[in-house]
């Protein structure tokens, strides 16, 4: 369980940070689409006899970058790209799993997440990747924030917009596969989206929003694992349910006027 | 001359957007670029700002071809057309102004906000401001790296009269006291006549470039301009 909690904290931190940039770009479901394509990667790994996670990393990053390129070149809308990525990942997965003799326990672990998947070697890998992702995002956060705010203005300020966009998308691909081990393919995007939408309701600055989102995410993950362990249920469901509880709680607080905002609520003239 | 544009031509899918435009900008100039919708003003700006490099001809900033180095962008402050700011975007005014700041000096942010009289609102969120106030924040943002040139693309479209006047007053002070050269595209001929010392009149080709008063005092020229604008307007509808 220690392994699950340590890796859970690392995963919560990266998911909430990467997720904020995706949510603000109106790309909330991209994490979901990447997770489904990673599922295709897991199936490919099992079919070919590779370690499924490596195959998932490769497929997730390549499909993220490839589809971003296609989207730019052919001017296809973001939601259409998400739909294509999502269904093709699952389709490839189903075909390969059928060819390799049907669903196994491994596949279910990837679909729903499993603390059993998190061995000590996995924890080391998760911590290493999370540290690298956080260092990149924290050192470059101002540039990523700028591009998210206005690509045009960022470009005129001499920021390499296209390169950083590809970097962010590749990071999203790595984050999805890293997180999939704990929360599973089906619920990974919840960690990208829910803590951020909850944090944004508090109408704080960018920095404070990231810190709030990280706090919500870490709380749901740790509490979710602690609650689910003695009950012997998959932690992913409990983690996401707690995140949703925080979201609903914040909604209620907001509608009751209990949320204080950084600036003012009314428009100033 | 700090900007030198020569023989600039751009075409999209075989249709000319700009044809052999040549003009220069001197240090301290306040240049108003006018022209009807579809005259190529935005295309010209996109080329000058390095967003569109698919052009023929040469654009030089500070005597250097912009195709060879992007360094000139660090001396330019750009204020876009009134941008659509997502009301929920979680950034304070201070954070917006510091985006793209080269050094991370918080004093520079405060200084820039003071120039546009927005320093008292620095910790409020950008989405909570009115359109006119947001535009003043974008000027502060453009000023934060102490630019030599300010480029503004129809910055006051849709801004109320009170904020428009404030905006013009700020621009005028930046040019006269701050010694910043200004390149400003506008539909508002009265404002251009009042503020700009030079005028470039575009309609795919360069119709006129020179001293503002010469353009506005030339009845023949004004008549020709109105006719062309009307034709373009009819063409658009």
């Amino acid at each position: 369980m220690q392994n699950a909690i340590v890796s859970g904290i690392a995963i919560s931190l990266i998911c909430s940070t990467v997720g904020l940039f995706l949510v603000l770009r109106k790309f909330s479901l991209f994490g979901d689409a990447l997770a489904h394509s990673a599922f295709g990667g897991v199936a490919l790994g099992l079919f070919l006899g590779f370690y499924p996670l490596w195959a998932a990393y490769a497929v997730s990053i390549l499909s993220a970058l490839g589809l971003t390129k296609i989207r730019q070149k052919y001017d296809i809308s973001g939601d259409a790209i998400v739909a294509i990525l999502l269904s093709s990942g699952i389709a490839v997965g189903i075909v390969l799993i059928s060819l390799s003799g049907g669903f196994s326990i491994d596949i279910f672990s990837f679909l729903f997440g499993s603390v059993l998947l998190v061995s000590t070697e996995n924890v080391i890998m998760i911590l290493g990747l999370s540290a690298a992702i956080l260092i990149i995002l924290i050192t470059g956060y101002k540039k990523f924030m700028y591009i998210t705010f206005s690509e045009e203005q960022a470009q005129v300020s001499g920021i390499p917009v296209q390169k950083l966009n590809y970097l962010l998308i590749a990071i999203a691909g790595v984050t999805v596969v890293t997180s999939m081990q704990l929360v599973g393919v089906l619920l990974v995007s919840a960690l990208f989206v829910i803590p951020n939408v909850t944090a944004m309701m508090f109408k704080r600055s960018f920095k404070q929003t990231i810190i709030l989102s990280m706090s919500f995410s870490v709380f749901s993950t740790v509490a979710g694992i602690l609650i689910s362990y003695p009950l012997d249920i998959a932690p992913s469901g409990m983690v996401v349910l707690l995140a949703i509880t925080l979201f609903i709680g914040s909604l209620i607080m907001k509608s009751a006027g209990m949320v204080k905002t950084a600036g003012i609520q009314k428009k100033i003239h | 001359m700090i900007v030198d544009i020569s023989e600039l031509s751009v075409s999209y899918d075989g249709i000319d957007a700009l044809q052999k435009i040549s003009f220069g900008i001197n240090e301290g100039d306040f240049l108003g670029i006018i022209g009807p919708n579809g005259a190529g003003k935005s295309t010209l700006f996109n080329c000058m700002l390095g967003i569109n490099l698919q052009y023929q001809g040469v654009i030089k900033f500070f005597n250097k071809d912009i195709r060879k180095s992007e360094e000139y962008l660090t001396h330019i402050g750009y204020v876009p057309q009134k941008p659509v700011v997502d009301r929920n975007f979680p950034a304070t005014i201070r954070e917006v102004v510091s985006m793209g700041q080269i050094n991370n000096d918080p004093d520079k942010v405060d200084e820039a906000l003071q120039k546009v009289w927005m320093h008292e609102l620095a910790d409020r969120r950008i989405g909570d401001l009115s359109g006119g106030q947001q535009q003043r924040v974008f000027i502060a943002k453009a000023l934060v790296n102490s630019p030599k040139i300010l480029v503004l693309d129809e910055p006051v479209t849709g801004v109320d009269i009170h904020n428009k006047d404030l905006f013009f007053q700020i621009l005028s002070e930046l040019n006269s006291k701050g010694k910043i050269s200004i390149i400003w595209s506008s539909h508002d001929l009265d404002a251009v006549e009042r503020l700009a010392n030079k005028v470039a009149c575009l309609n795919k080709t360069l119709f006129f470039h020179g001293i503002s008063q010469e353009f506005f005092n030339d009845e023949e020229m004004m008549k020709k301009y109105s006719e062309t604008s009307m034709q373009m307007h009819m063409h658009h509808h």
Side-chain angles (χ1 to χ4, degrees), chain A residues 24 26 142 145-146 148-149 152-153 155-156 158 200 203-207 209 263-264 267-269, chain B residues 49 51 73 78 80 86 88-90 92 95 98-101 104 124-125 128-130 133 138 141:
Chain A
L24 288 173
K26 313 264 184 280
K142 241 169 120 172
M145 171 173 74
Y146 197 0
T148 307
F149 185 72
E152 187 199 23
Q153 288 187 56
Q155 193 176 353
V156 174
M200 280 165 66
K203 288 189 168 282
R204 315 300 294 194
S205 68
F206 201 87
K207 261 189 205 164
T209 305
I264 40 162
K267 212 169 188 169
I268 331 152
H269 292 284
Chain B
L49 295 168
I51 296 169
L73 289 173
Y78 169 56
D86 180 354
N88 290 319
F89 196 92
T92 61
E95 282 176 324
S98 70
M99 287 174 188
Q101 193 184 8
N104 283 325
R124 287 189 176 156
R125 286 173 35 119
D128 289 332
L129 302 183
S130 71
Q133 287 175 319
F138 285 114
K141 189 174 160 307

Side-chain angles (χ1 to χ4, degrees), chain B residues 202-219:
Chain B
L202 265 189
N203 192 3
K204 295 189 177 167
T205 57
L206 189 64
F207 205 75
F208 175 88
H209 173 249
I211 294 167
S212 168
Q213 288 315 315
E214 277 178 19
F215 178 78
F216 288 104
N217 292 339
D218 187 334
E219 275 177 29

Side-chain angles (χ1 to χ4, degrees), chain B residues 63-115:
Chain B
N63 294 319
K64 282 182 196 150
D65 189 335
I66 64 164
R67 279 201 167 114
K68 292 184 181 144
S69 163
E70 285 190 348
E71 199 259 328
Y72 78 105
L73 289 173
T74 57
H75 301 295
I76 290 181
Y78 169 56
V79 182
Q81 283 191 22
K82 193 172 148 249
V84 181
V85 175
D86 180 354
R87 272 185 57 74
N88 290 319
F89 196 92
T92 61
I93 293 171
R94 200 185 291 282
E95 282 176 324
V96 170
V97 173
S98 70
M99 287 174 188
Q101 193 184 8
I102 293 168
N103 57 22
N104 283 325
D105 184 357
D107 291 344
K108 284 268 176 198
V109 174
D110 286 327
E111 211 178 280
L113 282 168
Q114 262 166 11
K115 283 183 187 159

Side-chain angles (χ1 to χ4, degrees), chain B residues 7-11 14-22 39-40 43 56 202-207:
Chain B
E7 303 271 302
L8 175 69
S9 296
V10 181
S11 61
I15 298 164
D16 287 329
L18 288 175
Q19 291 170 337
K20 298 203 168 178
I21 306 279
S22 300
T43 303
Q56 287 164 333
L202 265 189
N203 192 3
K204 295 189 177 167
T205 57
L206 189 64
F207 205 75

Side-chain angles (χ1 to χ4, degrees), chain B residues 165-181:
Chain B
D165 285 342
L166 273 178
F167 195 92
F168 291 149
Q169 202 180 326
I170 291 166
L171 283 192
S172 198
E173 279 182 18
L174 288 171
N175 181 245
S176 57
K177 291 184 194 157
K179 307 284 174 218
I180 297 175
S181 310

